[in-house]
């Protein structure tokens, strides 16, 4: 088990309680075939099944997360956002939640998502927003003793985000969001782009 997945396994319990998204906002085709790309421990797959989706699949690059997720949902395999292993045109919708900020090559990832989507298929994504609120949260997490003093979720966030900081990918993401938006629009038509203080949520369709 990687240090990241071990720390994230604990931190996700807090996130699931406090950071909730209404996935109904995406109006996913629950009668179609859906892929959760970067499914982690399978929480969103179980949520989608609870919403009525009967043909939902997941991939994740972390072997421990995949092993744990398979205990409750068999339709999960190892794979990455740049090399999913799925055939072209496999899905009606792909959900990507908090994965793009873990990778270096946004264009390769978007190309792979477009490849495995059917024409006019949906890409729905949620990612950290480079907002003042997030900058303040990161400042408290990394530049003050609050995580050490308070422990709990603060200490878990520090442990998880420290690994993301050390890779350089999270800081890169925060300053590359204009670049990402331009790359996204080369292959996808944006239906809507919404924001909250911490994240942005986007619903798109594949061109062609």
């Amino acid at each position: 088990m990687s240090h990241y997945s071990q720390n994230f396994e604990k931190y996700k319990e807090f996130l699931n309680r406090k950071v909730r998204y209404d996935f109904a906002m995406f109006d996913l085709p629950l009668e179609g075939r859906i892929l959760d790309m970067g499914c982690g421990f399978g929480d969103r797959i179980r949520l989608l099944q609870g919403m009525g989706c009967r043909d939902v699949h997941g991939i994740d690059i972390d072997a421990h997360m995949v092993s744990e997720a398979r205990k409750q949902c068999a339709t999960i395999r190892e794979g990455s956002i740049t090399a999913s292993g799925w055939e072209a045109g496999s899905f009606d919708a792909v959900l990507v939640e908090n994965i793009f900020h873990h990778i270096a090559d946004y264009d390769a990832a978007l190309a792979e998502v477009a490849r495995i989507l059917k024409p006019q298929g949906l890409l729905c994504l949620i990612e950290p927003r480079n907002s003042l609120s997030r900058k303040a949260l990161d400042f408290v997490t990394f530049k003050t003793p609050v995580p050490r003093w308070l422990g709990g979720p603060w200490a878990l966030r520090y442990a998880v985000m420290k690994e993301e900081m050390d890779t350089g990918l999270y800081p890169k993401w925060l300053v590359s969001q204009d670049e990402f938006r331009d790359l996204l629009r080369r292959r996808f038509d944006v239906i809507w782009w919404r924001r909250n203080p911490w994240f942005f949520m986007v619903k798109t369709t594949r061109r062609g």
Side-chain angles (χ1 to χ4, degrees):
M1 183 193 313
S2 71
H3 289 299
Y4 183 85
S5 61
Q6 185 178 28
N7 288 326
F8 187 75
E9 188 169 12
K10 300 172 184 176
Y11 188 50
K12 79 176 182 69
E13 297 175 4
F14 170 78
L15 293 178
N16 288 343
R17 292 195 308 271
K18 299 297 184 181
V19 183
R20 296 188 178 95
Y21 309 106
D22 182 4
F23 284 99
M25 67 181 167
F26 291 123
D27 192 23
L28 293 167
L30 298 179
E31 73 288 350
R33 197 179 200 199
I34 298 176
L35 175 67
D36 181 6
M37 188 170 265
C39 64
F41 292 97
D43 299 48
R44 295 176 299 276
I45 290 178
R46 291 188 289 274
L47 176 62
L48 290 168
Q49 289 172 329
M51 293 169 63
C53 184
R54 295 293 172 261
D55 193 8
V56 58
H57 304 262
I59 64 169
D60 201 280
I61 200 170
D62 188 285
H64 170 67
M65 291 185 180
V66 170
S67 176
E68 290 298 306
R70 280 178 179 161
K71 293 177 181 179
Q72 300 187 59
C73 180
T75 59
I76 297 173
R77 63 168 71 169
E78 284 190 55
S80 75
I81 194 170
T82 55
S84 71
W86 287 98
E87 295 181 359
S90 293
F91 294 98
D92 298 287
V94 171
L95 176 64
V96 183
E97 182 187 352
N98 291 312
I99 299 301
F100 284 107
H101 73 272
H102 288 281
I103 64 171
D105 194 337
Y106 310 137
D107 196 39
L110 290 166
E112 177 67 356
V113 174
R115 185 186 70 81
I116 64 175
L117 273 173
K118 297 176 182 178
Q120 301 302 309
L122 296 176
L123 164 60
C124 301
L125 64 96
I126 300 170
E127 290 293 336
R129 179 184 169 204
N130 190 23
S131 62
L132 289 176
S133 297
R134 179 166 290 277
K135 290 175 182 177
L137 179 62
D138 287 342
F139 179 84
V140 173
T141 301
F142 296 109
K143 302 296 184 181
T144 76
V146 166
R148 187 173 68 254
W149 287 349
L150 298 184
W154 281 104
L156 286 172
R157 183 176 196 270
Y158 177 87
V160 169
M161 297 303 299
K162 178 68 164 54
E163 293 196 44
E164 295 188 20
M165 282 286 194
D166 287 347
T167 67
L169 296 175
Y170 174 70
K172 175 180 181 288
W173 168 261
L174 293 179
V175 298
S176 302
Q177 295 183 1
D178 289 342
E179 172 194 348
F180 176 81
R181 183 178 62 247
D182 292 342
L183 292 170
L184 179 69
R185 286 174 170 160
R186 290 180 187 177
R187 291 187 172 89
F188 298 88
D189 293 317
V190 176
I191 299 172
W192 49 253
W193 191 300
R194 300 175 183 173
R195 299 168 178 83
N196 69 24
W198 315 104
F199 299 92
F200 61 75
M201 295 74 71
V202 188
K203 181 177 180 179
T204 73
T205 59
R206 191 200 119 180
R207 291 197 185 126

